[in-house]
Amino acid sequence: MKSVSIFNKKDSFSYRNIVKTVEDFKPLRGLPFQLGLEEGIVSGTNTWSTDFCLAMLIFLLITILFYVEKEEGLTSLIRSTRHGKLRTFGAKLTALTLITIFLSLIYYGSILLLAERLYGFGSLSRYIQSMSSFYHAVQPLTVEQYLLVYMLLKILVNILLGWLMAALFLGLGHISKIYVATSLLLGASYLCYSLIHPNSYLNVLKYINILAFYDAFHFISDYRNLNILGYPVRKDTLTLWV
């Protein structure tokens, strides 16, 4: 591709992207491939309905933790006690984080268990690149490693969503403002993720938003470099930094 005139300008994003793509895929050379069914792995790790239900549960949990006491007029009483404001907030944030981790393990763990029972995962030691759905994956992960990374990503994004919503509850105060802000945040994320083309110059907005963070399946299976000031940055790297 570097020999084609439209790509061979060394100061262009296209040229840098070609060079970086070759370097990124070098670790996959010589991987041992092994035949195996992929239906269980794909269906068990590509579940939007589960994401939606869990996000609603997190929102309900935050409402109980951060809004009920304000609605009942207990906020002034808590703030008047020694260390009441800071320690109460720390306790709530800790409870939110731990319950979110528990819910994530229960929800996604049960889906993976059902997928394994229905379809099977095959050999957990084979590399995911052995399956057609992961031909473009750049991380040399075994099936077992992929499932562990998938669970970790889901837990992290649910914690992130919980902290963002907690910040809205603390910063805005009024429940109607919180509903509007949450709807705008999730609505803008959905529009960017569903309408922006993967190769658009606006694809940073497509992949760096809360809805894209939930798509752990394509986070791993879809290799893509984003254009950051003319330089290619791997989508997964930028996502983790954000």
Side-chain angles (χ1 to χ4, degrees):
M1 290 180 68
K2 291 189 293 184
S3 64
V4 181
S5 60
I6 62 174
F7 297 128
N8 63 12
K9 296 180 181 179
K10 293 188 177 182
D11 60 344
S12 67
F13 168 78
S14 298
Y15 181 90
R16 293 168 179 152
N17 189 36
I18 294 168
V19 175
K20 179 172 173 53
T21 300
V22 174
E23 293 297 320
D24 288 342
F25 274 89
K26 277 184 178 179
L28 302 184
R29 289 179 176 176
L31 283 185
F33 290 157
Q34 181 180 348
L35 290 176
L37 297 177
E38 66 176 57
E39 283 81 2
I41 298 170
V42 174
S43 63
T45 59
N46 197 10
T47 54
W48 283 107
S49 57
T50 306
D51 297 332
F52 177 77
C53 291
L54 200 50
M56 293 299 100
L57 275 180
I58 293 172
F59 185 82
L60 178 61
L61 174 62
I62 294 171
T63 302
I64 296 172
L65 287 174
F66 291 94
Y67 189 74
V68 170
E69 67 181 23
K70 181 179 294 186
E71 191 178 41
E72 295 179 355
L74 300 177
T75 305
S76 300
L77 178 63
I78 293 173
R79 290 181 177 178
S80 64
T81 60
R82 186 182 181 185
H83 304 303
K85 186 176 181 180
L86 184 60
R87 289 187 178 178
T88 302
F89 172 74
K92 289 181 178 182
L93 196 62
T94 302
L96 170 63
T97 303
L98 293 177
I99 296 174
T100 299
I101 293 173
F102 174 76
L103 290 174
S104 299
L105 291 173
I106 292 297
Y107 266 65
Y108 297 113
S110 62
I111 294 296
L112 290 177
L113 180 62
L114 287 173
E116 197 279 331
R117 293 296 181 183
L118 288 173
Y119 305 107
F121 289 156
S123 174
L124 297 179
S125 62
R126 76 184 191 277
Y127 284 93
I128 58 175
Q129 283 79 10
S130 301
M131 299 173 283
S132 60
S133 297
F134 296 93
Y135 280 168
H136 298 152
V138 73
Q139 300 93 343
L141 300 173
T142 64
V143 172
E144 183 179 21
Q145 292 170 337
Y146 165 72
L147 295 176
L148 291 175
V149 171
Y150 168 82
M151 288 294 296
L152 179 61
L153 290 173
K154 288 295 190 179
I155 291 172
L156 287 176
V157 73
N158 280 315
I159 291 175
L160 173 63
L161 179 64
W163 287 359
L164 283 174
M165 288 185 177
L168 291 177
F169 271 78
L170 291 173
L172 298 179
H174 198 277
I175 193 66
S176 60
K177 294 180 181 179
I178 295 169
Y179 286 148
V180 171
T182 303
S183 299
L184 289 175
L185 172 65
L186 298 180
S189 296
Y190 173 77
L191 290 176
C192 289
Y193 193 64
S194 60
L195 297 182
I196 296 177
H197 191 274
N199 295 324
S200 169
Y201 65 93
L202 295 175
N203 60 2
V204 174
L205 298 178
K206 177 182 181 69
Y207 293 112
I208 305 303
N209 69 64
I210 193 71
L211 198 69
F213 296 164
Y214 262 105
D215 194 358
F217 173 78
H218 287 101
F219 173 85
I220 296 174
S221 65
D222 178 31
Y223 171 80
R224 192 170 302 277
N225 290 321
L226 304 182
N227 188 345
I228 306 298
L229 301 177
Y231 289 87
V233 179
R234 267 173 54 174
K235 177 190 68 176
D236 54 353
T237 302
L238 184 61
T239 298
L240 292 174
W241 276 107
V242 171

